Each structure stands twice: as C-alpha cells, then as structure tokens.
Amino acid sequence: MLGVADYGAFVAAILIFLAIPGPGNLALITSTSKGGIPGGIGATFGVIAGDQVLMWAAVAGVATLLVAYPAAFHAVQWVGAAYLAWLGFRMLVAKPGDAPVLHIEPRHYFKQAFFITLLNPKAIVFYMAFFPLFVDPAQHRGMLTFGVMAATVAVLTFLYGLGAVLLTHFLAERMRANPRIGRVLEKVAGLFLIGFGVKLAVSK
C-alpha cells in the first residue's frame, strides 16, 4: 500500500505500541479525570501532535544526530525526565482544594500531553528503527510513503485515545461520589510520572 509493506501488520504493531503503559496513556487518563471528555480529547490531540513532530524528526534524520552526539541525546533525555518528575511532584504535594496540576481548559491538556510526548527522545530513535521495518524498497514512494505511515499513526492514536477517554470518563463518573478515591489516584499518578521520569533519566 503506497510503499508500506504488510500494512495490516503495521497497523497491529501501532495498536500494540499504543496500549503499552507509559506517560502518554497516563496523560490521557489524568486529563480525562480532571477535565472530562473535552480534557481527554485535548490531551489526545496533544499526543498526536507530539508523535507527528517526533516521527518527522526521525524521518529527517534527527535520530542519527542524537545517536552520533550522545551529549545532545542525554541533554534532551534529562529535560524530558525533569518535566515528567516535576508534574509528578506537583501531583504528590497537591492538597484538597488546590488548583489541579493539569488545568481544566482543553488547551492546557493539549500542551501538557504534547510536551510529555515530545520530551521523550527515545521515541525518535524508536520511529527511526520502526519505520524501515514496514517500508517496501521496491515500491517506496519517498515522502508519500512516510506520509501514509504518519497519517495511519495519527488516525489510530485518535481512535485509541477516544476509546481510552470514554472508558476513563465512564469510570470517573462513578468515583466522583467519593473524593478521597480521586485524591489517592492523583497521588498514584504522580508517583508513576516520577517513575517514568527516573526511568527515562537512568536508561541507556
């Protein structure tokens, strides 16, 4: 399909990748819990935008530069780790009645999810290694082939995000009667964010 080898396998691989727990999924869940469906949809578009930047950066060869210059890679890696840990710390120290770490307005959710996705330099390397697996050299059509792959990732991410948002909203409605549960979940989310940040910082 327009230079994409085994398009069905490509779709399946992307869906598996989306389902792996990570900062992106946590951003969707937290945004929906705080801002409802609008917040979750805003975060979904933030994840999509961040992924698109990383994918096209990978296509442009940024991954090669990052691998060739480890200092640059680690600098971006530490920025991403610090951002995730900062968000997690704010969740941990938040008190009842405080303004939420993730603002209710969808534009803020978009920004948070965008930076959480963007500040993960390993994703660039992942796309640089992942895309060639599904490129048919005999039928490759240059940027058109990569465009089809990027568009497929965007559509699948939106559908996955929509499902995650609706499911999270459905569950959140049943937990609002007990605010203590929400506070506990916020602390757990904060710990996970800090954990993601530490993992990103120490990974090689």
Side-chain angles (χ1 to χ4, degrees):
M1 180 179 176
L2 297 177
V4 181
D6 199 346
Y7 186 75
F10 175 71
V11 169
I14 292 298
L15 289 175
I16 293 173
F17 175 65
L18 288 171
I20 296 175
N25 273 305
L26 185 58
L28 293 181
I29 294 171
T30 304
S31 298
T32 305
S33 299
K34 292 290 185 179
I37 293 178
I41 295 299
T44 299
F45 281 114
V47 171
I48 292 173
D51 266 340
Q52 291 297 309
V53 172
L54 293 175
M55 280 186 287
W56 288 107
V59 171
V62 174
T64 302
L65 293 177
L66 289 176
V67 172
Y69 299 97
F73 178 86
H74 289 300
V76 178
Q77 189 176 43
W78 274 98
V79 170
Y83 183 74
L84 293 180
W86 175 73
L87 288 179
F89 176 76
R90 288 186 60 192
M91 287 184 174
L92 282 178
V93 301
K95 298 178 181 178
D98 285 353
V101 174
L102 298 177
H103 298 293
I104 294 178
E105 291 81 4
R107 67 179 182 276
H108 292 149
Y109 288 118
F110 175 92
K111 180 176 65 175
Q112 294 274 16
F114 174 76
F115 281 112
I116 285 175
T117 304
L118 189 64
L119 293 175
N120 183 1
K122 289 208 162 185
I124 304 177
V125 179
F126 169 80
Y127 283 124
M128 195 70 176
F130 179 73
F131 274 10
L133 297 176
F134 295 95
V135 172
D136 186 346
Q139 300 183 27
H140 185 254
R141 301 188 185 182
M143 297 302 288
L144 177 59
T145 297
F146 287 117
V148 170
M149 299 173 85
T152 300
V153 172
V155 171
L156 292 176
T157 301
F158 175 76
L159 294 176
Y160 174 85
L162 180 61
V165 166
L166 293 177
L167 178 60
T168 301
H169 181 69
F170 174 81
L171 295 176
E173 287 292 330
R174 279 144 185 78
M175 293 189 298
R176 285 196 176 100
N178 191 338
R180 181 178 297 178
I181 295 178
R183 290 195 295 270
V184 171
L185 291 178
E186 184 176 46
K187 306 305 180 187
V188 172
L191 286 173
F192 271 107
L193 275 178
I194 293 175
F196 290 137
V198 172
K199 181 180 179 181
L200 179 60
V202 302
S203 60
K204 302 296 184 181

